[in-house]
Amino acid sequence: MGAIKKFDTGLDASNSKPVKIEMPNAGQLSDSSRMLGILQNDTRGFERLAQFLKTRCGIDLPTTPKNLSLMASRLRKVLEARGLPDYDSYADLLEKERPADMNEFISALTTNTTHFFREAEHFKHLAKTLPVYLNEKKSRELRVWCAASSTGQEPYTILMTILETGVLQKGVTIKFLATDIDLQVLDKAARAVYREEEIENVPSDLRAKYFEAKSDPSGGSWFRIKPSYASQIRFARLNLMQSEWPFQHKFDIVFCRNVLI
C-alpha cells in the first residue's frame, strides 16, 4: 500500500495557533465565474456563434439551457486567453476567416467522444459481411472511408476488423482514408499513441498483435499502433460542408457514425 499523503490542517501543532495558508487569487476566480455567467445568459451572442458553426461546419446547436451552458464552458477560456469580453467580439474575430482562429473555434465546440470497438455489433457485422462482399467484387482493391474519425480509435478498429478477416492473404489491397474537421484530433490519430485506459476495450490478442507497449519515466503506460499497421491509414482534414469532396474513386465501405451522432 502506498504512503498516505499528509494534508495541512491549517493549525500549528506546537501552539494550536492558525497557520496562514495562501489561497488562489479570489479576484481571478470571481472574474472567471462572472464571465461564465455572462456567457450562459447571452442568448443573442450564442445564436450568432451557433449559426456560424452550423454554416461553416454543419453542426446544429439549438438554443437550449444545456447548449448555452456547453458553449459557455467551452469558450470561456478561449475568450479569456484572447482578452475578449463577449461572444460578439469573438464572432467579429471569426468572420475574418483566419484559419488558426477557425481551427481553435472548431476544436473547442466539436465533441470527440470515441473509443476502440465502440458499439461492437457494428464491427461484428463488418467482419461477417466483408468476405461475402469481396467474393462478389471483381477488383482486388478495397477502399474505405471513415468520416469524423476523431482521435483515431474508430478507424483503427475498422482496420483491425478488416485485417482479421484475412483479406491481405487473399491478395486484397486496402486504401483507407480517415477524415475529420478538427486538426487537433487528426494529429493525435496520426500519432497513434494511446494511454492504457484508452485501449481497455481492445481484446488482449488484438492488443498484442497490433500495439506496442511503452512506458514513460513517471511509470505511466502507453501504447502505440505498430507503424506497419498505422501507415495503412491516411488521415486528412475534410469539412463535410464543402460543396465538393476531393475523391477520385468510389468507396466500398463508409463509416459515418460520428457524423450521424
Side-chain angles (χ1 to χ4, degrees), residues 190-232:
R191 286 187 283 113
V193 175
Y194 301 95
R195 299 186 306 274
E196 186 170 16
E197 59 268 27
E198 291 181 291
I199 68 166
E200 61 183 8
N201 289 334
V202 180
S204 58
D205 58 330
L206 298 185
R207 187 182 302 188
K209 181 175 180 180
Y210 292 100
F211 292 81
E212 51 188 17
K214 302 288 182 179
S215 60
D216 55 47
S218 65
S221 297
W222 52 274
F223 294 80
R224 181 174 66 183
I225 302 285
K226 293 179 179 179
S228 59
Y229 298 116
S231 62
Q232 296 186 41

Short mmCIF file of all heavy atoms in Angstrom, two decimals, residues 190-232:
data_model
loop_
_atom_site.label_atom_id
_atom_site.label_comp_id
_atom_site.label_asym_id
_atom_site.label_seq_id
_atom_site.Cartn_x
_atom_site.Cartn_y
_atom_site.Cartn_z
N ALA A 190 -3.04 10.48 -36.08
CA ALA A 190 -1.89 10.14 -36.91
C ALA A 190 -0.72 9.64 -36.06
O ALA A 190 0.04 8.77 -36.50
CB ALA A 190 -1.47 11.35 -37.74
N ARG A 191 -0.58 10.17 -34.85
CA ARG A 191 0.49 9.71 -33.97
C ARG A 191 0.21 8.31 -33.43
O ARG A 191 1.13 7.58 -33.08
CB ARG A 191 0.68 10.69 -32.81
CG ARG A 191 1.38 11.98 -33.23
CD ARG A 191 1.71 12.89 -32.06
NE ARG A 191 0.53 13.59 -31.57
CZ ARG A 191 -0.02 13.39 -30.39
NH1 ARG A 191 0.48 12.49 -29.57
NH2 ARG A 191 -1.08 14.08 -30.02
N ALA A 192 -1.07 7.94 -33.33
CA ALA A 192 -1.48 6.57 -32.97
C ALA A 192 -0.98 6.13 -31.60
O ALA A 192 -0.64 4.97 -31.39
CB ALA A 192 -1.01 5.57 -34.05
N VAL A 193 -0.93 7.04 -30.65
CA VAL A 193 -0.46 6.75 -29.30
C VAL A 193 -1.62 6.92 -28.33
O VAL A 193 -2.31 7.95 -28.34
CB VAL A 193 0.70 7.69 -28.91
CG1 VAL A 193 1.10 7.47 -27.46
CG2 VAL A 193 1.88 7.47 -29.84
N TYR A 194 -1.82 5.91 -27.47
CA TYR A 194 -2.95 5.92 -26.56
C TYR A 194 -2.54 5.47 -25.16
O TYR A 194 -1.64 4.64 -25.01
CB TYR A 194 -4.06 4.99 -27.09
CG TYR A 194 -4.55 5.41 -28.46
CD1 TYR A 194 -4.03 4.83 -29.61
CD2 TYR A 194 -5.49 6.42 -28.60
CE1 TYR A 194 -4.44 5.24 -30.87
CE2 TYR A 194 -5.92 6.83 -29.85
CZ TYR A 194 -5.39 6.23 -30.99
OH TYR A 194 -5.81 6.64 -32.23
N ARG A 195 -3.21 6.03 -24.17
CA ARG A 195 -2.98 5.61 -22.79
C ARG A 195 -3.57 4.22 -22.57
O ARG A 195 -4.44 3.77 -23.32
CB ARG A 195 -3.60 6.60 -21.81
CG ARG A 195 -3.05 8.01 -21.90
CD ARG A 195 -3.62 8.89 -20.80
NE ARG A 195 -5.08 8.87 -20.80
CZ ARG A 195 -5.83 9.67 -21.54
NH1 ARG A 195 -5.27 10.54 -22.37
NH2 ARG A 195 -7.15 9.61 -21.47
N GLU A 196 -3.11 3.57 -21.52
CA GLU A 196 -3.56 2.20 -21.25
C GLU A 196 -5.07 2.13 -21.08
O GLU A 196 -5.72 1.20 -21.59
CB GLU A 196 -2.87 1.67 -19.99
CG GLU A 196 -3.17 0.21 -19.70
CD GLU A 196 -2.30 -0.36 -18.60
OE1 GLU A 196 -1.67 0.43 -17.86
OE2 GLU A 196 -2.23 -1.60 -18.49
N GLU A 197 -5.66 3.11 -20.40
CA GLU A 197 -7.11 3.08 -20.19
C GLU A 197 -7.88 3.31 -21.49
O GLU A 197 -9.06 2.94 -21.58
CB GLU A 197 -7.53 4.12 -19.15
CG GLU A 197 -7.16 5.55 -19.47
CD GLU A 197 -5.82 5.96 -18.89
OE1 GLU A 197 -4.94 5.09 -18.69
OE2 GLU A 197 -5.64 7.17 -18.63
N GLU A 198 -7.24 3.91 -22.49
CA GLU A 198 -7.93 4.15 -23.75
C GLU A 198 -8.06 2.89 -24.60
O GLU A 198 -8.87 2.87 -25.53
CB GLU A 198 -7.19 5.22 -24.55
CG GLU A 198 -7.28 6.61 -23.95
CD GLU A 198 -6.56 7.65 -24.80
OE1 GLU A 198 -5.31 7.61 -24.86
OE2 GLU A 198 -7.25 8.51 -25.40
N ILE A 199 -7.28 1.87 -24.32
CA ILE A 199 -7.36 0.65 -25.13
C ILE A 199 -7.96 -0.51 -24.35
O ILE A 199 -7.82 -1.67 -24.74
CB ILE A 199 -5.97 0.24 -25.69
CG1 ILE A 199 -5.04 -0.21 -24.57
CG2 ILE A 199 -5.34 1.37 -26.48
CD1 ILE A 199 -3.81 -0.92 -25.08
N GLU A 200 -8.65 -0.20 -23.27
CA GLU A 200 -9.19 -1.27 -22.42
C GLU A 200 -10.23 -2.12 -23.14
O GLU A 200 -10.45 -3.28 -22.76
CB GLU A 200 -9.77 -0.68 -21.14
CG GLU A 200 -10.91 0.28 -21.36
CD GLU A 200 -11.43 0.89 -20.06
OE1 GLU A 200 -10.80 0.67 -19.01
OE2 GLU A 200 -12.47 1.57 -20.10
N ASN A 201 -10.88 -1.58 -24.17
CA ASN A 201 -11.88 -2.36 -24.92
C ASN A 201 -11.27 -3.23 -26.02
O ASN A 201 -12.00 -3.97 -26.68
CB ASN A 201 -12.92 -1.43 -25.54
CG ASN A 201 -13.83 -0.79 -24.50
OD1 ASN A 201 -14.04 -1.35 -23.43
ND2 ASN A 201 -14.37 0.37 -24.81
N VAL A 202 -9.98 -3.11 -26.23
CA VAL A 202 -9.32 -3.91 -27.26
C VAL A 202 -9.02 -5.31 -26.69
O VAL A 202 -8.35 -5.41 -25.66
CB VAL A 202 -8.01 -3.26 -27.73
CG1 VAL A 202 -7.34 -4.11 -28.80
CG2 VAL A 202 -8.28 -1.85 -28.24
N PRO A 203 -9.51 -6.38 -27.31
CA PRO A 203 -9.21 -7.74 -26.83
C PRO A 203 -7.71 -7.96 -26.70
O PRO A 203 -6.91 -7.42 -27.47
CB PRO A 203 -9.83 -8.63 -27.90
CG PRO A 203 -10.91 -7.79 -28.51
CD PRO A 203 -10.38 -6.39 -28.49
N SER A 204 -7.32 -8.77 -25.73
CA SER A 204 -5.90 -8.95 -25.42
C SER A 204 -5.09 -9.48 -26.61
O SER A 204 -3.95 -9.08 -26.82
CB SER A 204 -5.74 -9.89 -24.22
OG SER A 204 -6.36 -11.14 -24.48
N ASP A 205 -5.69 -10.38 -27.41
CA ASP A 205 -4.94 -10.92 -28.55
C ASP A 205 -4.70 -9.85 -29.61
O ASP A 205 -3.61 -9.78 -30.21
CB ASP A 205 -5.68 -12.12 -29.16
CG ASP A 205 -7.09 -11.78 -29.61
OD1 ASP A 205 -7.72 -10.88 -29.00
OD2 ASP A 205 -7.58 -12.41 -30.57
N LEU A 206 -5.68 -8.97 -29.82
CA LEU A 206 -5.50 -7.88 -30.78
C LEU A 206 -4.55 -6.83 -30.23
O LEU A 206 -3.77 -6.23 -30.99
CB LEU A 206 -6.85 -7.24 -31.12
CG LEU A 206 -7.90 -8.14 -31.77
CD1 LEU A 206 -9.13 -7.34 -32.15
CD2 LEU A 206 -7.33 -8.86 -32.99
N ARG A 207 -4.57 -6.62 -28.94
CA ARG A 207 -3.65 -5.68 -28.32
C ARG A 207 -2.21 -6.13 -28.53
O ARG A 207 -1.33 -5.34 -28.87
CB ARG A 207 -3.96 -5.55 -26.83
CG ARG A 207 -3.17 -4.47 -26.12
CD ARG A 207 -3.47 -4.41 -24.64
NE ARG A 207 -4.89 -4.20 -24.36
CZ ARG A 207 -5.35 -3.96 -23.15
NH1 ARG A 207 -4.53 -3.91 -22.12
NH2 ARG A 207 -6.64 -3.76 -22.96
N ALA A 208 -1.98 -7.42 -28.36
CA ALA A 208 -0.62 -7.95 -28.52
C ALA A 208 -0.18 -7.90 -29.98
O ALA A 208 1.00 -7.69 -30.28
CB ALA A 208 -0.56 -9.38 -28.00
N LYS A 209 -1.12 -8.06 -30.89
CA LYS A 209 -0.79 -8.13 -32.31
C LYS A 209 -0.59 -6.75 -32.94
O LYS A 209 0.34 -6.56 -33.74
CB LYS A 209 -1.90 -8.87 -33.06
CG LYS A 209 -1.66 -9.03 -34.55
CD LYS A 209 -2.77 -9.88 -35.18
CE LYS A 209 -2.57 -10.07 -36.67
NZ LYS A 209 -3.65 -10.90 -37.28
N TYR A 210 -1.43 -5.79 -32.58
CA TYR A 210 -1.44 -4.51 -33.29
C TYR A 210 -0.79 -3.35 -32.53
O TYR A 210 -0.56 -2.29 -33.13
CB TYR A 210 -2.88 -4.14 -33.64
CG TYR A 210 -3.50 -5.06 -34.67
CD1 TYR A 210 -4.36 -6.09 -34.29
CD2 TYR A 210 -3.20 -4.92 -36.03
CE1 TYR A 210 -4.92 -6.95 -35.23
CE2 TYR A 210 -3.75 -5.76 -36.97
CZ TYR A 210 -4.62 -6.78 -36.57
OH TYR A 210 -5.15 -7.64 -37.50
N PHE A 211 -0.51 -3.53 -31.24
CA PHE A 211 0.05 -2.44 -30.45
C PHE A 211 1.43 -2.81 -29.92
O PHE A 211 1.75 -3.98 -29.73
CB PHE A 211 -0.84 -2.12 -29.24
CG PHE A 211 -2.18 -1.53 -29.59
CD1 PHE A 211 -3.23 -2.34 -30.00
CD2 PHE A 211 -2.40 -0.17 -29.48
CE1 PHE A 211 -4.47 -1.81 -30.30
CE2 PHE A 211 -3.63 0.38 -29.79
CZ PHE A 211 -4.67 -0.44 -30.20
N GLU A 212 2.24 -1.79 -29.68
CA GLU A 212 3.50 -1.98 -28.97
C GLU A 212 3.45 -1.13 -27.70
O GLU A 212 3.05 0.03 -27.72
CB GLU A 212 4.70 -1.59 -29.84
CG GLU A 212 4.62 -0.23 -30.48
CD GLU A 212 5.76 -0.02 -31.47
OE1 GLU A 212 6.40 -1.01 -31.88
OE2 GLU A 212 6.02 1.15 -31.84
N ALA A 213 3.82 -1.76 -26.58
CA ALA A 213 3.72 -1.10 -25.28
C ALA A 213 4.97 -0.29 -24.99
O ALA A 213 6.09 -0.69 -25.32
CB ALA A 213 3.50 -2.14 -24.19
N LYS A 214 4.78 0.86 -24.37
CA LYS A 214 5.88 1.72 -23.96
C LYS A 214 5.60 2.19 -22.54
O LYS A 214 4.50 2.07 -22.03
CB LYS A 214 6.01 2.93 -24.90
CG LYS A 214 6.22 2.59 -26.36
CD LYS A 214 7.60 2.04 -26.63
CE LYS A 214 7.81 1.76 -28.11
NZ LYS A 214 9.17 1.24 -28.40
N SER A 215 6.61 2.75 -21.90
CA SER A 215 6.42 3.35 -20.58
C SER A 215 7.24 4.63 -20.51
O SER A 215 8.26 4.77 -21.19
CB SER A 215 6.86 2.39 -19.47
OG SER A 215 8.23 2.05 -19.61
N ASP A 216 6.77 5.58 -19.71
CA ASP A 216 7.49 6.84 -19.57
C ASP A 216 8.22 6.87 -18.23
O ASP A 216 7.99 6.01 -17.37
CB ASP A 216 6.54 8.03 -19.71
CG ASP A 216 5.36 7.95 -18.75
OD1 ASP A 216 5.60 7.67 -17.56
OD2 ASP A 216 4.22 8.19 -19.17
N PRO A 217 9.10 7.84 -18.02
CA PRO A 217 9.89 7.90 -16.79
C PRO A 217 9.07 7.93 -15.51
O PRO A 217 9.52 7.49 -14.46
CB PRO A 217 10.70 9.19 -16.96
CG PRO A 217 10.81 9.36 -18.44
CD PRO A 217 9.52 8.87 -18.99
N SER A 218 7.83 8.45 -15.60
CA SER A 218 6.99 8.53 -14.41
C SER A 218 6.32 7.20 -14.07
O SER A 218 5.62 7.09 -13.08
CB SER A 218 5.92 9.61 -14.61
OG SER A 218 5.03 9.23 -15.65
N GLY A 219 6.52 6.21 -14.93
CA GLY A 219 5.91 4.91 -14.67
C GLY A 219 4.60 4.68 -15.39
O GLY A 219 3.99 3.62 -15.25
N GLY A 220 4.14 5.68 -16.12
CA GLY A 220 2.89 5.52 -16.86
C GLY A 220 3.05 4.62 -18.08
O GLY A 220 4.14 4.52 -18.64
N SER A 221 1.97 3.98 -18.47
CA SER A 221 1.99 3.08 -19.63
C SER A 221 1.21 3.69 -20.78
O SER A 221 0.16 4.28 -20.57
CB SER A 221 1.40 1.72 -19.26
OG SER A 221 2.16 1.08 -18.26
N TRP A 222 1.74 3.52 -21.97
CA TRP A 222 1.02 3.94 -23.15
C TRP A 222 1.29 2.96 -24.27
O TRP A 222 2.23 2.18 -24.21
CB TRP A 222 1.38 5.36 -23.56
CG TRP A 222 2.84 5.65 -23.70
CD1 TRP A 222 3.71 6.03 -22.72
CD2 TRP A 222 3.63 5.58 -24.91
NE1 TRP A 222 4.98 6.21 -23.22
CE2 TRP A 222 4.97 5.94 -24.57
CE3 TRP A 222 3.34 5.25 -26.23
CZ2 TRP A 222 6.00 5.98 -25.50
CZ3 TRP A 222 4.37 5.29 -27.16
CH2 TRP A 222 5.68 5.66 -26.79
N PHE A 223 0.44 2.99 -25.27
CA PHE A 223 0.51 2.01 -26.35
C PHE A 223 0.42 2.72 -27.69
O PHE A 223 -0.33 3.67 -27.86
CB PHE A 223 -0.63 1.00 -26.23
CG PHE A 223 -0.54 0.14 -25.00
CD1 PHE A 223 -0.94 0.62 -23.77
CD2 PHE A 223 -0.04 -1.15 -25.08
CE1 PHE A 223 -0.85 -0.17 -22.63
CE2 PHE A 223 0.05 -1.95 -23.95
CZ PHE A 223 -0.35 -1.46 -22.72
N ARG A 224 1.20 2.22 -28.65
CA ARG A 224 1.20 2.79 -29.99
C ARG A 224 0.83 1.71 -31.00
O ARG A 224 1.29 0.57 -30.90
CB ARG A 224 2.58 3.36 -30.32
CG ARG A 224 2.66 4.01 -31.70
CD ARG A 224 4.00 4.68 -31.93
NE ARG A 224 5.09 3.70 -31.99
CZ ARG A 224 6.36 4.04 -32.13
NH1 ARG A 224 6.71 5.31 -32.17
NH2 ARG A 224 7.29 3.11 -32.20
N ILE A 225 -0.03 2.10 -31.94
CA ILE A 225 -0.31 1.19 -33.05
C ILE A 225 1.00 0.93 -33.79
O ILE A 225 1.73 1.87 -34.10
CB ILE A 225 -1.33 1.81 -34.04
CG1 ILE A 225 -2.65 2.16 -33.33
CG2 ILE A 225 -1.58 0.86 -35.21
CD1 ILE A 225 -3.52 0.99 -33.01
N LYS A 226 1.32 -0.31 -34.05
CA LYS A 226 2.58 -0.62 -34.73
C LYS A 226 2.61 0.10 -36.08
O LYS A 226 1.62 0.11 -36.81
CB LYS A 226 2.71 -2.13 -34.91
CG LYS A 226 2.88 -2.89 -33.60
CD LYS A 226 2.99 -4.39 -33.83
CE LYS A 226 3.17 -5.12 -32.49
NZ LYS A 226 3.25 -6.59 -32.66
N PRO A 227 3.74 0.72 -36.41
CA PRO A 227 3.84 1.52 -37.63
C PRO A 227 3.40 0.80 -38.90
O PRO A 227 2.84 1.42 -39.81
CB PRO A 227 5.33 1.89 -37.68
CG PRO A 227 5.75 1.89 -36.25
CD PRO A 227 4.98 0.77 -35.60
N SER A 228 3.65 -0.50 -38.98
CA SER A 228 3.27 -1.23 -40.19
C SER A 228 1.76 -1.23 -40.40
O SER A 228 1.28 -1.35 -41.53
CB SER A 228 3.78 -2.67 -40.11
OG SER A 228 3.25 -3.33 -38.99
N TYR A 229 1.01 -1.09 -39.32
CA TYR A 229 -0.46 -1.02 -39.42
C TYR A 229 -0.93 0.43 -39.50
O TYR A 229 -1.80 0.76 -40.33
CB TYR A 229 -1.11 -1.71 -38.22
CG TYR A 229 -0.78 -3.18 -38.12
CD1 TYR A 229 -0.07 -3.69 -37.04
CD2 TYR A 229 -1.18 -4.06 -39.12
CE1 TYR A 229 0.24 -5.04 -36.95
CE2 TYR A 229 -0.87 -5.42 -39.05
CZ TYR A 229 -0.16 -5.90 -37.96
OH TYR A 229 0.16 -7.23 -37.89
N ALA A 230 -0.37 1.30 -38.67
CA ALA A 230 -0.78 2.70 -38.67
C ALA A 230 -0.58 3.35 -40.04
O ALA A 230 -1.37 4.20 -40.46
CB ALA A 230 0.00 3.47 -37.61
N SER A 231 0.46 2.93 -40.75
CA SER A 231 0.77 3.52 -42.05
C SER A 231 -0.27 3.16 -43.12
O SER A 231 -0.27 3.74 -44.20
CB SER A 231 2.15 3.06 -42.52
OG SER A 231 2.19 1.65 -42.69
N GLN A 232 -1.16 2.23 -42.82
CA GLN A 232 -2.17 1.83 -43.80
C GLN A 232 -3.37 2.77 -43.84
O GLN A 232 -4.26 2.62 -44.69
CB GLN A 232 -2.65 0.40 -43.50
CG GLN A 232 -1.55 -0.64 -43.66
CD GLN A 232 -2.05 -2.06 -43.50
OE1 GLN A 232 -3.12 -2.41 -44.00
NE2 GLN A 232 -1.27 -2.90 -42.83
#
